[in-house]
Amino acid sequence: MFSTDLTSNGGERVRPWSRRFAAAVYFLIILCVAGLGGLRSPQIGWDVLGYAGVVLSYESRDPAVIHGGAYGALRDVAREADVEELTNGTPYRAELAKTPEAFVEQLPFYRVRVVFSGLIYLLYKSGVNVVQAASAIAALSYALLALLGLFWMRRYLDPVYAVLVSSFAFLSFPFTQAARIPTPDGLAALVAVAAMYVLLEKRSWRLAVALLTAAVFVRHDSAILGLMLSAGLLVLDRGDPLRARLLRFAASSAAILGAYAVVSRLGGYGWRTLFHHTFINHLAHPASAPAPVGLEDYMRVVATSLLPDALASYAAPYLLVLAIAVVSHVRAGGKLTLEDPWVTVLGLLLLHLLVRALLFPAFWERFLLAHYLFFALVAVRMLRLAPRVAPRGEGNPRVSATSSPAAGPAPG
């Protein structure tokens, strides 16, 4: 039995200059990915037109003005090949490019991303092209998420090892893709990871709930994760009276559901229309066109989209690393109990991964950034806090990970 302790360096302290050098290299790499990938050569998809339309609709209700402004902004900054693809690539896109009324009917799909659209609007009012503004926010979200990931890793790893592990994660395709695609997925992951950080490391359930409530305004489907973590408050800190835990759960759930209700009134067409539009047939007029979804349709999408995407995704290697860390931790004498808040949150995150896949049967990597980062953090923490067998002649041969000072008290 052994433990993997990456916070030491063979008894020698890591020289300060090496820490600073590793951090500087990491910051430089992240800035290059965010700047060159996210700003200089973004991967522009049709979604950016939807967000541009929402922003322009803040100032005008005229479909022709909104339509002309969105497509004009696209032509000002995108490559000719991208413009051609987004305007004539499919009959659906061609219909939207020539029909302002059909284009405006797409906007409720994007209006529910309130924070992302609001940030784009602020940049737009400061003189930034609305399409470039979306790319800038996506790139900045990636950079901030990478910094938060490194900051959290350094709680359990030597700074140099923290840089190496963080670089491995944030230079992988799911994260670099989020930097290049002008969508709110990186921002949603940033808020979700920040919520888990304050819940687990700062033991502040109030701030965690505030962040989870804010996450609903970034991506409204974040309410599912928020409600699951809210339910986790019933298990965390079981030393408190049941009444206090129930009140905590009720208050946090009410805040998240209230945010979801507010966002839902701003737009959206419901699950059935979204499912049909995404997986069956794009709807040029989703407000009026029928959107039937039967069990056969659902099972076909699961078989042709969800399962192949899941097998080809980064979920498999991340879950494999997590499983290896868990097995090593248990074989070394560590325990996995719900008394450890990390185990509770990990279980809820795995459950959320399953529920989300069933509700929206597509394994799109950019939706899973918070999951991947947390899986990496759990793996590092379990290896770091694995019980150690003391050399012969030394007492206290086993130290439980759950009793380690780094595990901390349950959140209050």
Side-chain angles (χ1 to χ4, degrees), residues 22-308:
V25 170
Y26 180 78
F27 295 150
L28 180 62
I29 292 173
I30 295 303
L31 287 175
C32 286
V33 172
L36 298 179
L39 296 178
R40 293 290 300 275
S41 56
Q43 185 179 334
I44 297 178
W46 198 94
D47 286 348
V48 75
L49 285 168
Y51 292 116
V54 170
V55 169
L56 295 171
S57 71
Y58 293 160
E59 298 185 343
S60 174
R61 295 184 179 274
D62 185 343
V65 173
I66 297 171
H67 180 271
Y71 280 92
L74 175 69
R75 293 186 177 94
D76 287 342
V77 300
R79 297 177 303 175
E80 184 176 343
D82 290 335
V83 174
E84 177 65 21
E85 173 63 26
L86 296 179
T87 55
N88 294 301
T90 64
Y92 162 75
R93 291 179 175 180
E95 173 70 13
L96 299 185
K98 68 181 182 181
T99 310
E101 290 74 19
F103 175 76
V104 169
E105 282 194 44
Q106 309 299 310
L107 301 188
F109 287 124
Y110 302 91
R111 203 180 301 279
V112 292
R113 315 291 165 74
V114 180
V115 173
F116 189 67
S117 300
L119 292 173
I120 295 174
Y121 181 72
L122 291 177
L123 290 179
Y124 168 68
K125 294 302 291 183
S126 67
V128 181
N129 178 284
V130 68
V131 173
Q132 289 181 322
S135 298
I137 294 168
L140 179 60
S141 299
Y142 163 80
L144 292 176
L145 181 62
L147 294 179
L148 176 58
L150 175 62
F151 178 78
W152 202 348
M153 285 286 183
R154 288 189 59 173
R155 294 182 68 91
Y156 299 98
L157 292 175
D158 173 272
V160 175
Y161 284 110
V163 165
L164 293 175
V165 174
S166 299
S167 298
F168 179 80
F170 287 101
L171 294 180
S172 64
F173 171 76
F175 291 92
T176 57
Q177 181 196 40
R180 296 189 61 197
I181 298 180
T183 63
D185 305 303
L187 181 60
L190 173 65
V191 178
V193 172
M196 290 185 284
Y197 174 81
V198 298
L199 180 64
L200 294 173
E201 301 292 359
K202 300 301 181 182
R203 306 297 191 257
S204 174
W205 71 269
R206 292 179 180 84
L207 181 54
V209 169
L211 288 168
L212 292 171
T213 303
V216 178
F217 292 95
V218 180
R219 282 191 63 97
H220 66 300
D221 54 356
S222 298
I224 301 173
L225 177 60
L227 290 173
M228 287 184 174
L229 292 176
S230 177
L233 296 176
L234 292 171
V235 178
L236 303 178
D237 199 10
R238 286 186 290 179
D240 283 357
L242 178 60
R243 177 184 174 84
R245 285 181 282 146
L246 288 173
L247 288 174
R248 191 178 302 163
F249 167 68
S252 57
S253 298
I256 294 168
L257 288 173
Y260 185 81
V262 170
V263 171
S264 297
R265 290 182 65 86
L266 298 176
Y269 287 113
W271 178 86
R272 187 182 298 273
T273 301
L274 177 63
F275 188 97
H276 187 101
H277 180 75
T278 304
F279 298 110
I280 300 176
N281 181 43
H282 290 314
L283 301 171
H285 297 278
S288 56
V293 176
L295 179 60
E296 182 180 349
D297 297 318
Y298 179 83
M299 297 307 298
R300 183 176 65 253
V301 171
V302 169
T304 60
S305 178
L306 176 61
L307 295 180

